[in-house]
Each structure stands twice: as structure tokens, then as C-alpha cells.
Amino acid sequence: MPKFIINGGRTLSGKISVSGAKNSALKIIPAAILSKQPITLSNLPIIEDVERSFEVLVDLGAKISKNGQEVIIETASLNKSEMNPKLADKFRGSVMFIGPLLARFKEVKFPHPGGCVIGAGGRPIDLFLEGYQAFGAEIKEESGKFYNIKAEKLHPAHYFFPLVSVTATESMMMTATIIPGTTILQNCAMEPEIEALANYLNTQGAKITGAGTPTITIEGQEEIGAGKFAVIPDRIETGSFVILAAAANAEIEIENCNPEHIMTLLKILKKIGVNFSTGPDWIKMEKRQTPLLSHDIKTHEYPGFATDLQSPYVVLMTQATGTALIHETIYDRRLLWTDMLSQMGAQITMCDPHRVVVQGPTRLYGKRLMSPDLRAGIALVIAALIADGRTEIDNIYQIDRGYEKLEERLRALGADIERVE
Ligand code: EPZ
């Protein structure tokens, strides 16, 4: 099983470019099912979850061709709507295929999705199922956790989300795109990836308004056409590299990013003594002469503090002076990884499954670790880069799921990191 070997404490500096957003690509690729005409995508991150998405599409009968940096997806030849459990079980993103398949074939068969184990009860999909029923579909759970969703006819829905969910919002928005009539979705998630998905579908002839606000209206069409689309920059990669620079007190320029998408983090960093300047698509991290100050955070749906940046932020707080309360409100198990950070020398008290208190500053020391999920994985890489000594991080498939050529980009900053098969 491949692992990273990292020797920490090196001085880091230079430029790092941000890849296309994983959590945008994982929706735009399944959205190809909504149209029988070809779609052309650019700035796709070359990561495991995107490869898995392509495998699912090809298994369903789609054709995928690469033209330099662009990928062309043709789904005219799609010939089935039953998802292969071996493929669907590898990542949470597989859930994004259900809505478009239902809209196109009026029937879908799929296994409960896999992916990170950070959510309660193995990443529930009750909101998705309730949403499909709102469109007139019937759901049968067959033995072995297979779902069969069927609809004689799908009709527009007026649906209020009982809980704000990013992928459930995206799934219903996609499904409604080709259900003729007016669908209104309320209490929607507002992540930038949702707005990007709506913008993309609108270039293909969809009529979606309100994406990025709590109420989204979709004027469903009989069909939508072809489209070309550049995937937006990954805001979680951006935030992770900003935090790395702050933790290492390094002069690093982060390119091809959108600072607007991580405003909550940048506001906090400014407050605690991190120096940086920003432009339309770059962030210049500068050295600071004063110590970092601790600052509490509470994760929240966008535009609040992103839960996917909670783990890198905990590492940053080990280098700050004082105590910081980290309150993870979105997921039930997303703080369990901090046990490994404690093994590296961090002073962390778990108050309850949703809250930890970090006492800083503390020196960190290299250890043998295991990456439990991709965001804890990048946090452990950041910790290893600022720790004294050598760290081994196993199970880096979890990191490869979301970070393209990570060790190459970090080595370009002066990091001593290598991948060992
Ligand atoms: C998306 O997950 C992202 N994944 C996550 O990123 C991100 O952490 C999360 O949004 C929150 O920002 C993708 O976009 C592929 P939710 P999602 O539905 O949509 C509960 C990463 O590291 N819920 O907004 O699955 C759920 O358990 C990943 O890239 C239900 O109860 O998150 C959670 O507690 C990790 N029933 C809460 O809602 C449902 O049917 C919010 O989750 C769906 C979700």
C-alpha cells in the first residue's frame, strides 16, 4: 500500500497552483447523463475520485475521450441505469449518478454509496430518497442494501430540505433540469460548487435560477444540449495550502485560486496575525514576526467555516498561542483523527465527539500514521511538514482521492516528501 515519507522542518517557499475542484467535478461528470449531446470539460483534477466517476460512466455505456487537457463525455450510447456495486462502493461521489439516471431512464438501481466514514450511519442518503419521491418516484430497498427507484412519470416538485445538504441539493437540481415544469427547492445548500453546476447546466440550455441562495427554481426542459465548461478552482485545496503556509510561517504564493471562496478562513487568519495579500486568482502568504494567536471556530454550511478545512485548521492551532475550541457541527466522526495529532505531541482535549480544545504552541514530532479520510490526510501531511523528524503516512489512497500530484507540488516548495509504493 503506497505511503508518504516526510522529513519535517524544511523551509518552504515558492509557488503552488490549485487544481480544479473535486467537489465540482464529481457533480459535473454525472450531469453529462442529462444530455444526449457531448460535453467538454477542462481544468478537471486528475484524482482517484474523478477516475472512479469516469469508470461508472463507461460501465453505463458512455464514451469518454481526452483531447489534451480537455475531456469529452458522450452519453448518447448510455444503455443501462443499474450501477455496478463494485464501482459505486468506492466513493461518496457515486451518489451523484442517481438523480440524472432517474431523470433520463425513469428507473435506477444502485447500492448504498461508499466513501469516507465521517458521517453518522455511514453517510445517510435519506434526503436523496425523499427528494426523488417528491418528483413522483417509488423506492424499494432490495436485499443487500440495493435500492430500486422507479417512476411511471416524473413531475415537478416543490420541496423544502429538512436539513441543508450539498449533494442532495445538487442531485435534486440536476434531476429537475429535464422534468418539464417548475420545480422549487427551498433551504438549499449554497456552496460555490452548486452555483458552478447550475452555471454549467444553463450553458447547455437548462433554466436554473437562485443557485448559491437558499431557494433554487428550475424550469425543467424536455432536453438540454451540449456544453463546454472549465471546472472552478478547489477552495478546499486553496484553504489547505493557505493553512500550510501559515503553520510553516512560509512565503508561498497560491495560484489559480478564488480567494472569495474561503473568506471565513481568511478573516480568521487576518485576526490571528497571519500576513497575506490577495488578488483575483492568487493569495500571497507572507512571513509574520509576531506569534500566531489561538481562535475558536465552529464549522458551518457555506459561507461559514468549511468542515473540510477543520482538520488543517486544528494543525494550525497547535502552533498558535493559547487555547482554541474547535466545534465540528456537520459530521459525527470528523474529529477522531486528532488522536493521531496528539501522538505527534499536540495538546488536544476531546470534550465530546463534536468538540476539541487545542492548547498551543507545541512542537510536533514525526510518527507512523494512517490517513483515515482525505481531509484528515492532508492535515497529517501539513503536521508532518512542520514536525521534527520523519513521518510515515499510510493509506494515502485517501489523499490521492482529492489532491492531484500532491508530493510533486509540495517538493517544488522545498518539502522533503516522497511516495513509497
Ligand atoms: C459534501 O458532502 C462534500 N462532498 C463533503 O466533502 C463536504 O464535507 C460536505 O458536502 C459539507 O460541506 C461532496 O461534495 C462530494 P452534506 P455531502 O449532505 O453533500 C447529513 C470531502 O472531503 N445528510 O452537506 O455528503 C450528512 O450526514 C467531502 O470532499 C443526511 O443526514 O454533505 C451530514 O451530517 C467530505 N442525509 C449533513 O447532512 C442525507 O441524505 C451535511 O452533509 C444527506 C446528508
Side-chain angles (χ1 to χ4, degrees):
M1 178 141 76
K3 58 186 169 187
F4 281 146
I5 308 283
I6 299 169
N7 289 302
R10 299 289 183 284
T11 304
L12 304 179
S13 68
K15 293 185 176 184
I16 188 164
S17 183
V18 169
S19 311
K22 165 179 95 80
N23 290 345
S24 183
L26 293 188
K27 291 66 179 257
I28 281 169
I29 291 168
I33 292 170
L34 296 167
S35 167
K36 295 191 180 71
Q37 294 184 34
I39 66 157
T40 306
L41 301 177
S42 56
N43 197 37
L44 270 172
I46 304 164
I47 53 176
E48 295 293 346
D49 276 11
V50 165
E51 297 306 323
R52 299 297 79 79
S53 290
F54 288 149
E55 286 166 5
V56 169
L57 267 184
V58 168
D59 178 73
L60 293 168
K63 284 199 193 68
I64 291 179
S65 50
K66 300 194 175 171
N67 156 23
Q69 293 300 312
E70 289 184 338
V71 171
I72 294 127
I73 303 176
E74 293 166 276
T75 65
S77 50
L78 225 54
N79 52 28
K80 72 174 187 174
S81 68
E82 177 174 340
M83 287 182 67
N84 178 331
K86 286 195 196 61
L87 299 175
D89 198 29
K90 288 185 178 164
F91 67 126
R92 168 82 183 175
S94 58
V95 73
M96 299 317 301
F97 288 86
I98 307 166
L101 286 170
L102 175 65
R104 182 156 166 184
F105 293 102
K106 309 286 183 291
E107 180 167 10
V108 192
K109 200 170 166 191
F110 67 97
H112 196 290
C116 314
V117 290
I118 51 177
R123 308 300 292 276
I125 57 166
D126 53 317
L127 297 181
F128 291 79
L129 302 179
E130 207 178 275
Y132 302 140
Q133 287 168 322
F135 286 128
E138 267 157 45
I139 290 150
K140 281 197 210 69
E141 191 168 347
E142 294 171 358
S143 59
K145 278 222 158 193
F146 245 92
Y147 292 103
N148 206 332
I149 305 187
K150 222 170 175 171
E152 287 313 309
K153 188 170 169 4
L154 292 168
H155 54 68
H158 192 154
Y159 181 75
F160 188 97
F161 283 97
L163 181 73
V164 173
S165 162
V166 175
T167 43
T169 298
E170 291 162 329
S171 180
M172 285 197 76
M173 185 171 80
M174 280 198 265
T175 307
T177 302
I178 52 171
I179 298 177
T182 305
T183 287
I184 299 176
L185 305 177
Q186 292 178 285
N187 197 24
C188 297
M190 302 190 277
E191 271 66 4
E193 293 77 26
I194 296 171
E195 210 169 338
L197 178 61
N199 293 342
Y200 165 61
L201 288 168
N202 285 338
T203 59
Q204 291 177 276
K207 292 199 175 0
I208 302 171
T209 51
T213 77
T215 301
I216 299 176
T217 304
I218 302 108
E219 291 304 332
Q221 311 295 306
E222 285 298 333
E223 59 181 27
I224 57 174
K228 265 177 90 87
F229 194 78
V231 176
I232 61 172
D234 192 311
R235 62 193 165 92
I236 305 304
E237 253 204 12
T238 306
S240 306
F241 295 148
V242 162
I243 288 173
L244 166 62
N249 198 9
E251 285 190 358
I252 292 176
E253 183 170 347
I254 298 150
E255 302 177 308
N256 300 326
C257 65
N258 184 345
E260 291 297 310
H261 289 165
I262 54 167
M263 287 312 287
T264 306
L265 173 68
L266 294 179
K267 287 277 180 187
I268 290 171
L269 295 184
K270 209 65 162 175
K271 243 189 237 183
I272 65 175
V274 178
N275 298 328
F276 59 88
S277 53
T278 60
D281 63 352
W282 54 265
I283 300 171
K284 266 200 195 103
M285 304 299 294
E286 290 135 23
K287 272 191 184 308
R288 64 177 172 275
Q289 310 310 329
T290 53
L292 216 48
L293 303 175
S294 298
H295 189 285
D296 298 353
I297 59 152
K298 184 174 178 179
T299 62
H300 190 278
E301 291 86 0
Y302 192 87
F305 195 99
T307 172
D308 293 350
L309 288 173
Q310 168 256 98
S311 34
Y313 185 81
V314 171
V315 176
L316 182 64
M317 286 299 103
T318 67
Q319 304 309 304
T321 304
T323 56
L325 171 64
I326 313 289
H327 183 183
E328 169 56 59
T329 66
I330 307 286
Y331 289 112
D332 291 337
R333 302 181 207 165
R334 208 168 203 182
L335 284 167
L336 298 185
W337 75 280
T338 56
D339 177 48
M340 283 185 275
L341 201 49
S342 303
Q343 288 174 37
M344 294 178 80
Q347 296 293 320
I348 299 177
T349 310
M350 180 160 274
C351 313
D352 67 39
H354 286 271
R355 287 171 189 79
V356 293
V357 171
V358 183
Q359 177 78 31
T362 50
R363 292 186 78 82
L364 300 179
Y365 301 91
K367 270 268 186 252
R368 268 208 70 167
L369 306 163
M370 162 84 77
S371 167
D373 72 69
L374 72 161
R375 305 308 178 185
I378 194 73
L380 292 175
V381 167
I382 294 171
L385 289 170
I386 62 172
D388 292 348
R390 170 190 158 110
T391 298
E392 286 188 21
I393 301 177
D394 276 324
N395 191 25
I396 55 172
Y397 175 86
Q398 280 300 330
I399 297 177
D400 292 339
R401 280 184 53 211
Y403 297 90
E404 176 184 343
K405 301 195 188 85
L406 183 66
E407 71 271 26
E408 285 171 36
R409 288 189 284 168
L410 292 177
R411 266 202 298 274
L413 293 176
D416 178 350
I417 175 173
E418 60 172 321
R419 176 186 293 260
V420 172
E421 296 306 328

